[in-house]
Structures are given as structure tokens and as C-alpha cells.
Amino acid sequence: MNAVFPGSFDPITSGHMDVLTRAARIFDHVTVTVMHNARKQGRHLFTLDERLEILREATAHFPNVSVDSFGGLLVDYMARQETGSVIVRGLRAVSDYEYELQIAHLNRQIGDAETVFIMAATRWSFVSSSMVREIASYGGNVSEMVPRASASALRRKHADVYEEREAELQGQTTSL
Ligand code: PNS
């Protein structure tokens, strides 16, 4: 059985990687698909191409994972998949559940698409792409919260901020 793991992935986090690792153990093949989230329109840090590039690098070690993108409805994308394919979504905490439940029901209502939830490990319960983006925008350390490909891309995106902060921290240690 195959699965599709859809999301904004702006950028992919360690929580996403944890869910993907579990999904790749359960399903024959998992496609990680970058899609539009109408709630996040115009608020992306990384372009679609950048997000795909990060995803390819972060998932290269999985033999049964591929990366894709789609600009339409998730149910239309699912209709193009092998029969029986399911949607995989990760749950971090109870707070995710209400929103995810609504989408899962809608996707079944409008396209007969089935959703399977995978619980991320509790150590990632506080990690989200938006928090990671915020920390990185101030030059903070996000290396534990994202795969290396995301960390490098964030560092490139905010190179000046990281350099400035590191210089400041260096100055503080020297003056101690
Ligand atoms: O990582 P996200 O932003 O929580 O992922 C949400 C996503 C992209 C999977 C969801 O917004 C989605 O399915 N978008 C495609 C358009 C669609 O089918 N919308 C109807 C369901 S909300």
C-alpha cells in the first residue's frame, strides 16, 4: 500500500522527518508532496523549488520515499495515485487533532480519500515550521529541530543575521 504525505514543508522539520520515518516503515512507498495551504498563502519563506530541493536532500536516504508537488486539491492528487493509496498526516498534540479531523472528514466527503494519522514522538511536540522560521530569522540555533538540509537552507536564507549574531556572541565570550 502507498501513502501520500502532504504539507507545506516550509521547511521540513524533525517532527515531519519522524512521521515520515514511521510512515516509510509501514507503507511500501511514501510520496512527500508539497501543496498549497490557503491559510498560509503568501507567507512562505522558501519558494516551491527551494522546498522541493530541501525535501529531496532530507529524504535521499529513504529507498521508498519520493518528492513531488501539486497545486490543486489533495483529493484530486489522491485520485491520480495507485488505488488504495492513503493520506498520511502527523499529529503532535491534541491541539492538532481538531483541525486535522475536519480536513480528514472533508477529504473523505469530497473525494473518498482516506487519512491515516501518525503520532510524532513527544520530543517534537513543540516543533513547527513557523517556530523554526521565527527562531532562524533571529539567527537562533535550530539544528536539533530540523534535518541538516533545512538548517543549511535557513542559514543561507538568513546568512547576514547568523553572522551578526555569531560575531556578537563571539565578542561576549572574548570579553569574559
Ligand atoms: O503543512 P500544512 O500547511 O499543515 O499542510 C496542509 C495541506 C497543504 C496538506 C492542506 O492545506 C491541503 O491539503 N492543501 C491542498 C488544497 C486542498 O485540498 N484543500 C482542502 C483541504 S484543507
Side-chain angles (χ1 to χ4, degrees):
M1 190 187 278
N2 295 345
V4 170
F5 183 26
S8 306
F9 302 114
D10 187 33
I12 187 165
T13 65
S14 300
H16 291 129
M17 288 299 288
D18 180 52
V19 170
L20 179 60
T21 304
R22 292 166 199 279
R25 281 190 210 127
I26 299 169
F27 298 99
D28 297 317
H29 188 270
V30 183
T31 310
V32 184
T33 307
V34 181
M35 305 199 72
H36 294 305
N37 181 337
R39 296 166 154 217
K40 300 176 181 170
Q41 215 74 36
R43 289 194 285 128
H44 294 303
L45 175 64
F46 293 104
T47 64
L48 174 63
D49 283 345
E50 286 170 333
R51 282 180 275 160
L52 287 169
E53 191 53 42
I54 296 168
L55 279 171
R56 281 192 204 103
E57 197 182 323
T59 62
H61 60 289
F62 292 104
N64 62 338
V65 170
S66 57
V67 170
D68 195 11
S69 65
F70 188 70
L73 280 174
L74 179 53
V75 289
D76 291 343
Y77 184 75
M78 293 311 292
R80 299 170 178 209
Q81 307 303 307
E82 206 171 273
T83 314
S85 295
V86 298
I87 299 164
V88 162
R89 291 286 287 174
L91 291 177
R92 288 165 300 189
V94 182
S95 49
D96 284 338
Y97 184 68
E98 212 171 318
Y99 171 65
E100 293 298 337
L101 185 71
Q102 183 184 13
I103 297 183
H105 280 307
L106 283 172
N107 284 330
R108 202 159 59 188
Q109 175 86 26
I110 63 173
D112 200 25
E114 209 62 62
T115 302
V116 170
F117 293 114
I118 294 184
M119 268 55 78
T122 49
R123 66 181 294 219
W124 307 124
S125 61
F126 59 92
V127 173
S128 66
S129 296
S130 59
M131 287 301 170
V132 162
R133 287 198 303 273
E134 180 163 344
I135 296 166
S137 74
Y138 293 101
N141 181 5
V142 292
S143 57
E144 285 282 301
M145 295 172 230
V146 292
R148 205 171 300 158
S150 298
S152 312
L154 286 162
R155 186 168 257 279
R156 280 197 299 276
K157 195 61 98 177
H158 298 295
D160 46 347
V161 187
Y162 271 98
E163 277 162 29
E164 204 174 304
R165 184 160 183 265
E166 272 156 18
E168 265 172 37
L169 292 174
Q170 187 71 33
Q172 282 169 19
T173 13
T174 329
S175 61
L176 280 178

